[in-house]
Amino acid sequence: MAAAILARLDELEPFSARDPAGEDVEPGSPLALMDRHFASSRSVSSLLQQSLAAAMDNLQALRRLLFVEDPSGGVFYRLNSHAPYSLVRTVIECGTTVLWALQPEEGRERIRRSLVLVARDVFNAASFWDAYLEELHPDLHPDAQVSFEGLRHEVNEAARAAGLPPIFTKKAEGRWGYATKNRTQTAILKDLRADGGVPAELIYIWQFCSGYSHGLEWATGKPGSYPGPFSSQSGELRRPSTEPGRPSSERAGSSAEHGTAGGMEQLRRASDAACDLIPRAWGLYDLRRRVWPLL
């Protein structure tokens, strides 16, 4: 199974050589029309390019974490029980963000979703900088508040111009909140699943990776401590043995892959789910950034 993971990662190397920020969004393309609703510094194409770059960066990190290339040409699998899932989780999040924003055929729905993504970025930035500056740099805080107030109004104005409801709303106590749906990763995955855009199990793979990322016992603890497909009646899990003081290292395709399904099988399924998203996300990005028809 380690060899299968390596093969999938090697297949995606051509995408790693691409720099989405350096590839033109052609005037008149669907993505360019989406960008017209925002200032260039906060265009949806910029956000999606960042998602693609982050997905590829984490995919490359996954390969280097799991596999060691020997000077002789051999490739060795290096067992890591937690960190790979954090990387896979990020790839899934970034890949599905691109799919969710660009997949709808209706242009108005693409604009609505792009508004949601821009608003999410503004909301998260405002939440961080408001608290950070207020506590540590109070002299800069008032100007930042005014700036973020303007950004929220800018997003709402873009929604109004597109004939859409406002994205932000001001509550009675003067604090800003969302007035729209689809702003969480869970909501994005549910939308894609409902549209048939991703396998039904993807949301569960993402949740499982999140459990690993946070070190939660239901994902990382003793098999059998919770009911699940990889639980054993005895509650024991066989793992590849390691010498004291040395990390586990096995040649890809060797006995490292013969652990229980709770080990290599889960990692293979999670990495496959992430790898499946990469060509689709790039393909859809290329489709929307170019003027149709493609020659």
Side-chain angles (χ1 to χ4, degrees):
M1 288 187 190
I5 295 173
L6 179 62
R8 290 301 310 276
L9 294 173
D10 283 344
E11 288 174 4
L12 299 176
E13 278 298 311
F15 295 106
S16 298
R18 296 182 61 176
D19 177 12
E23 299 181 356
D24 292 336
V25 175
E26 298 178 3
S29 66
L31 190 51
L33 295 177
M34 294 162 70
D35 279 345
R36 286 173 53 187
H37 292 270
F38 311 101
S40 59
S41 62
R42 291 177 183 83
S43 64
V44 67
S45 62
S46 177
L47 289 176
L48 297 181
Q49 288 165 0
Q50 177 65 26
S51 290
L52 287 169
M56 299 316 303
D57 188 68
N58 279 271
L59 206 64
Q60 292 181 68
L62 179 67
R63 190 190 192 285
R64 286 162 176 74
L65 177 69
L66 292 178
F67 299 99
V68 179
E69 297 188 25
D70 189 84
S72 65
V75 179
F76 296 84
Y77 173 73
R78 176 170 52 195
L79 180 63
N80 294 271
S81 59
H82 290 73
Y85 293 96
S86 297
L87 299 172
V88 169
R89 175 196 181 193
T90 302
V91 175
I92 290 174
E93 290 177 352
C94 292
T96 52
T97 294
V98 175
L99 291 179
W100 182 77
L102 299 180
Q103 189 163 264
E105 291 299 326
E106 184 191 9
R108 191 167 182 269
E109 176 60 12
R110 289 199 301 269
I111 291 172
R112 186 191 73 80
R113 293 186 180 191
S114 67
L115 273 165
V116 170
L117 293 182
V118 171
R120 186 174 69 172
D121 196 66
V122 170
F123 186 89
N124 289 339
S127 296
F128 173 81
W129 288 114
D130 186 63
Y132 174 81
L133 294 175
E134 183 177 28
E135 182 174 354
L136 299 178
H137 298 279
D139 55 316
L140 301 176
H141 186 236
D143 288 343
Q145 283 186 305
V146 172
S147 177
F148 280 114
E149 185 95 357
L151 287 174
R152 294 185 185 99
H153 284 298
E154 182 183 328
V155 171
N156 279 352
E157 176 57 27
R160 186 201 63 77
L164 296 166
I167 304 296
F168 290 119
T169 182
K170 203 166 190 178
K171 300 178 181 179
E173 64 274 18
R175 299 181 64 85
W176 285 91
Y178 286 112
T180 186
K181 60 177 184 175
N182 311 120
R183 61 187 181 268
T184 66
Q185 194 63 37
T186 302
I188 286 174
L189 285 164
K190 286 182 176 180
D191 276 356
L192 288 172
R193 176 177 173 170
D195 295 341
V198 297
E201 69 171 358
L202 184 64
I203 191 169
Y204 299 111
I205 292 173
W206 170 73
Q207 288 171 336
F208 183 83
C209 290
S210 296
Y212 254 100
S213 298
H214 295 293
L216 301 180
E217 190 174 69
W218 71 264
T220 64
K222 300 175 182 177
S225 59
Y226 293 100
F230 306 121
S231 299
S232 62
Q233 292 182 350
S234 65
E236 295 179 357
L237 176 64
R238 293 182 294 106
R239 299 187 181 277
S241 61
T242 59
E243 295 181 22
R246 294 185 57 188
S248 175
S249 177
E250 300 284 347
R251 186 175 296 275
S254 73
S255 60
E257 67 185 63
H258 297 307
T260 66
M264 283 298 297
E265 172 61 16
Q266 283 184 170
L267 181 56
R268 184 194 63 79
R269 289 177 64 192
S271 61
D272 274 353
C275 289
D276 288 344
L277 293 171
I278 296 301
R280 293 185 56 206
W282 275 103
L284 194 52
Y285 171 73
D286 286 336
L287 182 68
R288 300 299 189 208
R289 75 181 178 90
R290 292 175 175 149
V291 177
W292 185 263
L294 301 178
L295 300 178

